[in-house]
Amino acid sequence: MSSIVVSALYQFVRIEQPTSLRQPLTDFLNANEIRGTLILANEGINGTVSGTRHSIDALYAWFKKHPPLDQVSSKESFHDEQPFYRTKVKIKKEIVTMG
């Protein structure tokens, strides 16, 4: 049985100050040994992260407690090994480049 959950996630939602979420989210990811990259922008959140089932469930519980990120959509896959080696939370102008 694969022990690592890979979660691709996004939510288009107005985030007034995405920079205010960067450090708390980074701290949470690091404390729960979640790896991958998340992008925050005024238009929402996008990214792919991986960790144990427990840590990924904890991440979605964190989102529920931090509106406007309480409606994040995701898709999951499973792997035997951690596919990501770093944890990054980036602030960008767009979560999906349109140009």
Side-chain angles (χ1 to χ4, degrees):
M1 184 170 153
S2 300
S3 60
I4 300 297
V5 178
V6 178
S7 182
L9 61 96
Y10 76 95
Q11 182 183 358
F12 284 101
V13 64
R14 183 80 182 143
I15 300 176
E16 292 298 327
Q17 295 181 0
T19 54
S20 68
L21 290 173
R22 184 180 191 180
Q23 196 58 54
L25 187 51
T26 300
D27 293 345
F28 183 87
L29 296 174
N30 286 326
N32 288 277
E33 298 182 358
I34 298 171
R35 303 288 178 250
T37 301
L38 293 177
I39 298 168
L40 292 170
N42 290 117
E43 67 182 15
I45 187 169
N46 186 21
T48 305
V49 293
S50 61
T52 63
R53 169 87 274 154
H54 177 76
S55 65
I56 296 299
D57 288 346
L59 175 61
Y60 285 96
W62 189 92
F63 287 148
K64 292 280 185 202
K65 293 178 185 176
H66 292 84
L69 300 176
D70 55 349
Q71 299 295 317
V72 171
S73 297
S74 68
K75 291 189 179 185
E76 294 183 350
S77 61
F78 305 92
H79 294 272
D80 294 329
E81 297 178 10
Q82 177 62 267
F84 305 119
Y85 298 101
R86 289 186 267 185
T87 301
K88 296 183 240 175
V89 178
K90 298 179 179 182
I91 305 296
K92 293 202 171 186
K93 291 182 181 182
E94 303 174 301
I95 62 171
V96 177
T97 304
M98 299 299 222

